[in-house]
Amino acid sequence: AQRVTQPEKLLSVFKGAPVELKCNYSYSGSPELFWYVQYSRQRLQLLLRHISRESIKGFTADLNKGETSFHLKKPFAQEEDSAMYYCALMNRDDKIIFGKGTRLHILP
Amino acid sequence: ETGVTQSPTHLIKTRGQQVTLRCSSQSGHNTVSWYQQALGQGPQFIFQYYREEENGRGNFPPRFSGLQFPNYSSELNVNALELDDSALYLCASSYQGLGPYEQYFGPGTRLTVT
């Protein structure tokens, strides 16, 4: 079965503290993995994809095939990071499967 | 370059009715995907259209149907509405060519079925 699991519905982190949003996937083969973000009153947008191996807004994510994980990390949280984050995978048919999302709340 | 737009923003329908939702793709994009996002859930893939042909479908019944037009705008039609169809409906456009591509999402249409 193709599935994306985000175990935390809500994650509260103090400003300046490290952030880790967990994502595990189930997929036979090599999926393409993404993190999408939705800020308050804005549309869903791509944050980063694993093949780019880039850092966007200080966030990085490393694909761990052994653990089938793609956790999103940032060393120092900022208040503007508060948003809904969705982990997603693209299967070989180019269809995107989303997790249920984690709401990140940055505390002042 | 204009972004993805959807209409209407929200609407209320009665169980058993039919509804049509519209999506205007980003300029230059040839693919549109539709998603259903129930409250507290991630978006669920409904179907995708590529160059006016259905190009994959998620786990949704046939009463969910779609169209893509030559200008790459798109419609999602839902017949015989059920209460569980209440959700935010998102469309996303992209350009499918060589290599990986990015989907650009619209703001969504919130459908309430009573």
Side-chain angles (χ1 to χ4, degrees):
Chain A
Q2 300 169 4
R3 188 168 54 243
V4 175
T5 303
Q6 294 179 251
E8 303 137 329
K9 285 185 82 169
L10 172 66
L11 183 66
S12 295
V13 173
F14 283 103
K15 180 181 168 183
V19 174
E20 183 179 48
L21 299 170
K22 291 185 168 47
C23 172
N24 288 89
Y25 65 91
S26 173
Y27 185 75
S28 56
S30 296
E32 186 171 344
L33 287 151
F34 306 83
W35 277 96
Y36 281 82
V37 62
Q38 188 166 28
Y39 300 103
S40 179
R41 295 195 182 89
Q42 293 188 29
R43 60 187 68 189
L44 196 61
Q45 58 186 286
L46 180 66
L47 179 63
L48 55 81
R49 49 161 59 117
H50 88 272
I51 60 166
S52 301
R53 303 186 67 81
E54 57 197 344
S55 172
I56 303 293
K57 299 185 179 183
F59 284 98
T60 58
D62 290 318
L63 175 60
N64 185 323
K65 291 186 178 181
E67 295 182 359
T68 59
S69 68
F70 188 57
H71 303 326
L72 184 68
K73 299 178 184 178
K74 184 170 182 175
F76 307 104
Q78 298 171 281
E79 287 191 56
E80 54 264 35
D81 296 330
S82 292
M84 196 73 188
Y85 291 81
Y86 295 94
C87 182
L89 72 80
M90 182 183 289
N91 64 17
R92 59 178 65 87
D93 297 324
D94 293 336
K95 307 304 174 284
I96 297 184
I97 299 164
F98 285 88
K100 292 187 177 182
T102 298
R103 181 167 297 285
L104 178 62
H105 183 207
I106 306 301
L107 303 166
Chain B
E1 187 176 278
T2 56
V4 179
T5 60
Q6 292 185 244
S7 62
T9 307
H10 54 269
L11 74 166
I12 300 172
K13 289 284 189 177
T14 304
R15 191 170 50 182
Q17 286 187 314
Q18 179 266 343
V19 70
T20 297
L21 311 181
R22 294 180 174 83
C23 173
S24 179
S25 297
Q26 187 160 313
S27 176
H29 286 181
N30 57 14
T31 304
V32 65
S33 303
W34 284 91
Y35 297 85
Q36 181 194 67
Q37 186 173 19
L39 203 59
Q41 304 291 316
Q44 276 208 332
F45 175 72
I46 303 175
F47 45 55
Q48 183 183 87
Y49 279 81
Y50 171 66
R51 292 186 175 181
E52 303 175 57
E53 299 277 336
E54 187 178 290
N55 182 38
R57 189 178 183 92
N59 192 24
F60 281 81
R63 60 190 184 82
F64 285 77
S65 63
L67 282 172
Q68 187 184 30
F69 300 102
N71 65 357
Y72 300 129
S73 63
S74 175
E75 286 182 357
L76 164 66
N77 298 291
V78 187
N79 292 323
L81 283 166
E82 300 177 1
L83 297 179
D84 284 350
D85 296 334
S86 295
L88 181 69
Y89 288 85
L90 299 170
C91 78
S93 76
S94 55
Y95 178 77
Q96 279 202 39
L98 294 173
Y101 61 92
E102 179 177 344
Q103 293 195 359
Y104 293 82
F105 283 82
T109 293
R110 183 160 299 281
L111 172 65
T112 302
V113 182
T114 61

